[in-house]
Amino acid sequence: MKYLKNKTNISVLIISLGLMFSSMTLLKPKKVIFFGDSITWHGPDEDGFITLMKNRLKTEGKIDQFELIGAGVSGNKIYDLFFRFQKDILDKQPDVVVIYIGINDVWHKSQSGTGTDANRYLNFYSAMVKILKDRGIEVVLCTPSVIGEKKDFTNPQDGDLNAYGQIVREIALKYNCNLVDLRKEMIKYLQVNNPDNAEKGILTRDRVHMNATGNKFIADQMYPVLFAKQR
């Protein structure tokens, strides 16, 4: 009888431990990494778009369900992301990766002659997305936003940004990724909210990097895609 009693106690202990570890697994927050350039680097700032989404998660009582991590580096282009992909993304074992890249790939062509041509942009981008999808990681893609805010399409890089934005849309479609079409939505916003055709000061502070309004705009675009439903 004593043997049976001890055996029963051990069984109860094993079941209890199993339930405890199952609960811990269920309570583990979903890790979301934001992968990009200086716009993303500023995401965790006090008024940055990552911070704004964290604050909204707190307000909605969902903050314990998600871990938001910024992985932006100033000046990065698509191949920079590729070369730090293992360390900054794969080694951290994320559940979701948000990729927002392309501004410097376009901008640096004219600024310093070190941009990225369209084919290389497509190939590096596709390679990362394929690896993530093959590992069962959810991927959210963002089209590159703006380099200049003039609403009459006279910003020098508008043509390239439209083309690179279309590349991102096609990658999202091919690999079945969620898309945050920042390029399209910012153009629509500027058509309404830039009556003087200003080149900066509506969503950006310097034609590229977001001001407080721009960060809120990005957060408002990303949030429904990432967090609107219980995940």
Side-chain angles (χ1 to χ4, degrees):
M1 288 295 292
K2 185 176 181 181
Y3 169 78
L4 290 174
K5 184 176 180 181
N6 288 340
K7 188 174 181 181
T8 301
N9 289 340
I10 292 171
S11 298
V12 170
L13 177 62
I14 291 171
I15 292 169
S16 299
L17 287 171
L19 290 171
M20 182 180 72
F21 285 120
S22 295
S23 298
M24 288 172 66
T25 301
L26 289 172
L27 293 172
K28 181 182 176 183
K30 182 167 281 193
K31 185 182 292 184
V32 183
I33 300 182
F34 297 84
F35 199 31
D37 54 29
S38 56
I39 299 173
T40 301
W41 182 62
H42 285 291
D45 290 353
E46 186 177 356
D47 65 348
F49 65 88
I50 295 174
T51 301
L52 294 176
M53 286 190 283
K54 281 185 179 180
N55 292 341
R56 185 167 171 182
L57 287 170
K58 288 177 186 176
T59 300
E60 296 181 1
K62 298 179 183 177
I63 191 63
D64 293 338
Q65 300 174 36
F66 300 96
E67 179 185 6
L68 276 56
I69 300 171
V73 173
S74 181
N76 267 196
K77 295 179 275 292
I78 188 68
Y79 55 82
D80 297 301
L81 266 58
F82 185 82
F83 291 135
R84 62 185 179 92
F85 184 52
Q86 181 70 48
K87 178 174 178 254
D88 288 353
I89 300 298
L90 299 181
D91 289 353
K92 291 182 168 59
Q93 299 182 313
D95 299 291
V96 183
V97 176
V98 181
I99 304 177
Y100 178 11
I101 195 72
I103 293 297
N104 294 321
D105 299 271
V106 170
W107 194 19
H108 289 185
K109 285 184 184 183
S110 58
Q111 188 185 48
S112 57
T114 60
T116 311
D117 66 44
N119 283 334
R120 289 185 178 180
Y121 183 74
L122 169 63
N123 291 337
F124 277 114
Y125 212 134
S126 297
M128 290 192 295
V129 171
K130 186 177 186 306
I131 291 168
L132 292 169
K133 295 292 284 188
D134 286 347
R135 295 190 178 204
I137 298 169
E138 184 179 343
V139 184
V140 177
L141 305 185
C142 304
T143 51
S145 44
V146 295
I147 305 173
E149 299 186 64
K150 291 184 177 181
K151 68 176 183 178
D152 62 355
F153 305 105
T154 58
N155 305 289
Q157 285 83 23
D158 277 346
D160 269 354
L161 283 176
N162 290 337
Y164 283 51
Q166 186 58 30
I167 289 171
V168 175
R169 295 181 193 106
E170 290 171 3
I171 294 171
L173 183 62
K174 179 177 180 179
Y175 291 99
N176 193 29
C177 303
N178 285 323
L179 177 70
V180 179
D181 202 337
L182 293 175
R183 176 74 184 156
K184 176 182 175 183
E185 296 304 322
M186 284 192 180
I187 288 173
K188 285 166 59 177
Y189 182 90
L190 291 169
Q191 289 296 314
V192 175
N193 295 281
N194 189 5
D196 297 325
N197 201 36
E199 69 171 7
K200 62 181 180 180
I202 313 302
L203 293 169
T204 74
R205 51 187 167 83
D206 58 2
R207 301 175 61 243
V208 170
H209 300 95
M210 300 301 129
N211 59 22
T213 303
N215 273 299
K216 184 179 184 305
F217 183 90
I218 291 176
D220 287 345
Q221 295 296 315
M222 287 185 179
Y223 195 90
V225 176
L226 291 167
F227 310 116
K229 294 181 180 179
Q230 188 85 11
R231 307 181 81 84

